[in-house]
Amino acid sequence: MKRTTLLLVGLLATAVPLTSAIAGPGFGGGPIPGVPGKLEFMIERMADHLDLTDDQRASIENILQAAKPEIETLRDQAMANRDAIESLDPSDPAYDTALQNIAISNGQLATEATLLMARVRGEAHAVLTEEQIAKLERGKARMKERIRSRFNPS
């Protein structure tokens, strides 16, 4: 059940760029093994907020499980690119070329991730009722407003 909600929040949290989030340290879990991280908490809360039926949870879990290998591949590639950037020597004459190649790869990964998450989001939306979608959209609007007010309190 927690895994389903973790996957649901990951799907629905489209405000965070996928490749940056998955390549960053600490993604997807808390600091102590077995203790839920912030993302898992958000997913559980989102599933409860939308009052998903058992069938909806199962359908969404299947959608997310089907996408999991693609998500993991993108994550692994993004992490490899991050490691490659960190290993570059700025004094190397080939530095600019190597960095440009990694940047191009990151752009391709971002495109693939965007298309993948849009596909998964569409499949998940097909499982939700109109009322749940409206409730989800209202929640996303509130979240955007909270973020906007924190970073631009004027």
Side-chain angles (χ1 to χ4, degrees):
M1 175 97 71
K2 285 188 178 186
R3 188 175 68 190
T4 301
T5 52
L6 176 64
L7 293 172
L8 176 62
V9 169
L11 166 72
L12 299 176
T14 58
V16 178
L18 177 66
T19 55
S20 297
I22 59 181
F27 178 76
I32 303 169
V35 176
K38 191 183 274 186
L39 183 61
E40 185 176 11
F41 172 76
M42 288 173 30
I43 292 171
E44 185 68 38
R45 203 167 155 211
M46 179 68 68
D48 290 342
H49 176 71
L50 295 177
D51 196 27
L52 298 179
T53 66
D54 290 341
D55 287 343
Q56 287 175 312
R57 283 180 188 251
S59 294
I60 290 174
E61 182 174 358
N62 290 337
I63 291 165
L64 294 169
Q65 286 298 329
K68 187 176 180 180
E70 293 172 273
I71 292 169
E72 289 175 349
T73 298
L74 290 172
R75 182 200 60 222
D76 292 346
Q77 291 171 340
M79 290 174 70
N81 281 357
R82 183 191 65 202
D83 292 344
I85 289 172
E86 290 175 1
S87 71
L88 291 177
D89 178 2
S91 63
D92 185 341
Y95 176 79
D96 288 342
T97 301
L99 187 60
Q100 185 173 22
N101 289 335
I102 295 169
I104 290 168
S105 175
N106 280 340
Q108 292 168 337
L109 289 174
T111 299
E112 290 177 39
T114 299
L115 295 173
L116 171 61
M117 295 315 290
R119 186 190 82 216
V120 170
R121 182 179 180 213
E123 291 173 11
H125 266 230
V127 173
L128 302 176
T129 66
E130 291 294 323
E131 181 180 297
Q132 289 169 323
I133 292 170
K135 195 172 189 180
L136 176 64
E137 294 304 319
R138 287 190 304 271
K140 284 172 31 179
R142 281 193 310 271
M143 186 185 317
K144 281 183 181 180
E145 183 54 38
R146 269 185 270 158
I147 290 169
R148 189 175 304 121
S149 68
R150 284 183 187 163
F151 291 104
N152 188 12
S154 55

